[in-house]
């Protein structure tokens, strides 16, 4: 299936917004914000990691600087389901602190470039405007 440029633009806009929301909500440990944007499998994996951090009394601090580029690597259409694979290159500032506020990972003074390949899907017949994150490749 060919996708026109306008549809691609719209998708990329939505994907960038979802990407930022997911990354920042994950860092904050905000499961309620994550739930509507992830399929069950990805949600479980993110949720488990959030619980793990809590159990270890780790705090994740993240500043989202911005998306440098978001490119569609692949597009599949299965009936009414659209699936996009997107390569995001973004800039974030991230660190993890323990319960004494000691930095155990990352650096709060350095902007880091993150490279993520995420797969989103959407039912085009659904009234729900959300794209779902169905897979992350690290």
């Amino acid at each position: 299936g060919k996708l026109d440029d306008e549809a691609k633009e719209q998708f990329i806009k939505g994907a960038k917004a979802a990407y930022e929301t997911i990354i920042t909500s994950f860092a904050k440990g905000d499961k309620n914000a994550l739930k509507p944007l992830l399929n069950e499998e990805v949600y479980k994996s993110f949720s488990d990691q959030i619980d793990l951090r809590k159990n270890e009394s780790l705090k994740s601090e993240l500043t989202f600087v911005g998306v440098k580029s978001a490119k569609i690597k692949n597009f599949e259409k299965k009936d009414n389901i659209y699936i996009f694979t997107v390569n995001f290159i973004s800039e974030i500032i991230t660190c993890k602190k323990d319960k004494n506020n000691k930095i155990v990972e990352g650096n709060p003074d350095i902007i880091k470039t993150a490279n993520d390949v995420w797969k989103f899907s959407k039912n085009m017949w659904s009234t729900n405007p959300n794209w779902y994150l169905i897979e992350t490749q690290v």
Side-chain angles (χ1 to χ4, degrees):
K2 279 311 261 172
L3 209 65
D4 65 7
D5 288 344
E6 195 181 327
K8 276 187 184 157
E9 280 297 297
Q10 281 303 103
F11 166 71
I12 284 288
K13 232 164 127 172
K16 280 181 180 169
Y19 177 77
E20 179 170 355
T21 302
I22 291 166
I23 281 192
T24 49
S25 303
F26 176 64
K28 282 199 289 249
D30 184 346
K31 292 184 185 183
N32 294 338
L34 289 170
K35 207 169 178 53
L37 295 168
L38 312 176
N39 75 355
E40 255 169 70
E41 209 178 316
V42 177
Y43 178 75
K44 191 180 170 345
S45 144
F46 279 32
S47 176
D48 288 348
Q49 290 177 58
I50 288 169
D51 292 342
L52 202 67
R53 270 199 321 245
K54 268 206 184 98
N55 295 341
E56 295 175 0
S57 305
L58 291 175
K59 199 165 89 224
S60 183
E61 288 185 5
L62 182 133
T63 305
F64 194 86
V65 182
V67 174
K68 280 175 80 169
S69 84
K71 292 198 174 75
I72 297 169
K73 278 182 63 164
N74 193 25
F75 165 64
E76 303 159 65
K77 188 171 171 273
K78 293 183 185 146
D79 301 322
N80 50 313
I81 306 289
Y82 282 23
I83 298 170
F84 281 95
T85 307
V86 185
N87 187 182
F88 292 99
I89 296 173
S90 65
E91 292 185 324
I92 55 175
I93 299 168
T94 177
C95 70
K96 274 186 192 156
K97 292 179 176 174
D98 65 15
K99 55 176 180 296
N100 307 318
N101 249 5
K102 196 167 95 49
I103 295 165
V104 289
E105 197 184 299
N107 186 329
D109 305 315
I110 289 179
I111 293 180
K112 188 178 104 151
T113 302
N115 195 336
D116 292 298
V117 178
W118 285 12
K119 218 181 236 196
F120 291 92
S121 97
K122 182 177 182 177
N123 181 339
M124 299 316 272
W125 296 345
S126 162
T127 51
N128 183 341
N130 286 345
W131 286 89
Y132 291 101
L133 176 60
I134 57 168
E135 198 182 293
T136 61
Q137 298 156 354
V138 179

